[in-house]
Amino acid sequence: MERIHYNIPIEATLEVIGGKWKALILCHLKSGKMRFSELQKSIPQITKKMLTQQLRELESDGIINRYVYHQIPPKVEYSLSDTGESLREILDKMCAWGENRINNQT
Amino acid sequence: MERIHYNIPIEATLEVIGGKWKALILCHLKSGKMRFSELQKSIPQITKKMLTQQLRELESDGIINRYVYHQIPPKVEYSLSDTGESLREILDKMCAWGENRINNQT
DNA sequence: CAGGATCCTTTCTGATACTG
DNA sequence: CAGTATCAGAAAGGATCCTG
């Protein structure tokens, strides 16, 4: 296994939650498990393809869990893993900061 | 002035510090003002062009200040603005999380 | 419902050369 | 030193169609 070198630790964080969608997805999952279609509704700008892709990456980075109910029609639920939970504080603060910025806009 | 609508406040945050470079740049500026060339040295993967572009955007979003010393050769210093300072907690936590992740890697 | 596959467009990034 | 300008390639994103 190759050990990646980072000049500064935030790079390791950005590798996991960086990009256009990941923090947003995680922010929605903060409130509990969600189905694929619920995520889609909550983030109308994202396409299925992108959502699938981002969820796969988050899963393989160990940030979220994926539960598949083997039924027809299929049902898949996503939720924060323990590692994902450890991001909660950051996500909360990012949300709070954004809220503040929106309200203080002139 | 158009008021942008966000489905969830973190979008406003991501608009400002999202992307590949911005959080990283801000993380470096946490420790104090830096010159353009110092930033370049600290973030060797970024090109001049990208650095310039990202700094311009951060400036126009009111996150950083840009001081130009009118001398030859030129000298330009960047630092967190007050608004930028309000991101410090988030940046610190992102760094801490990354550090943790690096150390807990098997 | 939750996707996978394909094709296509757009945006982002980087390399290089040049400038006040 | 701190940029700009130009060009080309890579990556991201979207539309559409298909499937268990």
Side-chain angles (χ1 to χ4, degrees), chain A residues 13 16-18 21-32 34 39 43 51 54-55 58-59 62-65 78-81 83-85 87-88 90-92 94-95, chain B residues 8 10 14 97:
Chain A
T13 310
V16 170
I17 61 162
W21 301 112
K22 287 179 181 173
L24 191 54
I25 293 169
L26 294 174
C27 209
H28 282 284
L29 289 176
K30 274 197 319 172
S31 15
M34 291 178 80
L39 280 168
I43 313 174
L51 184 54
Q54 303 297 305
L55 287 169
L58 286 168
E59 192 195 356
I63 307 299
I64 62 172
N65 293 131
Y78 295 91
S79 61
L80 295 182
S81 68
T83 307
E85 281 294 343
L87 285 164
R88 182 179 291 275
I90 292 175
L91 296 168
D92 282 342
M94 287 179 76
C95 268
Chain B
I8 186 170
I10 201 175
L14 291 172
W97 192 91

Side-chain angles (χ1 to χ4, degrees), chain B residues 2-105:
Chain B
E2 184 75 37
R3 194 97 172 224
I4 303 164
H5 174 261
Y6 301 104
N7 293 299
I8 186 170
I10 201 175
E11 290 178 17
T13 310
L14 291 172
E15 209 166 271
V16 170
I17 61 162
K20 195 171 172 180
W21 303 112
K22 287 178 183 174
L24 190 54
I25 293 170
L26 293 174
C27 209
H28 281 285
L29 289 175
K30 276 196 319 173
S31 15
K33 58 176 191 260
M34 291 178 78
R35 299 183 61 169
F36 185 88
S37 52
E38 292 177 314
L39 280 168
Q40 263 209 127
K41 241 166 279 174
S42 304
I43 313 173
Q45 322 98 284
I46 200 172
T47 57
K48 274 180 189 209
K49 182 183 144 187
M50 277 298 115
L51 183 54
T52 305
Q53 199 176 101
Q54 304 297 305
L55 288 169
R56 290 283 176 284
E57 290 180 20
L58 287 168
E59 191 194 358
S60 84
D61 283 334
I63 308 300
I64 62 171
N65 294 130
R66 179 168 182 264
Y67 303 94
V68 181
Y69 294 77
H70 288 286
Q71 50 179 48
I72 295 189
K75 174 174 168 181
V76 180
E77 281 180 346
Y78 295 91
S79 61
L80 294 181
S81 68
D82 289 348
T83 307
E85 282 294 341
S86 70
L87 286 164
R88 182 179 292 274
E89 233 194 310
I90 293 174
L91 297 168
D92 282 343
K93 285 194 186 304
M94 289 179 76
C95 270
W97 192 91
E99 204 153 7
N100 232 285
R101 168 161 261 250
I102 294 165
N103 295 328
N104 295 341
Q105 245 173 209

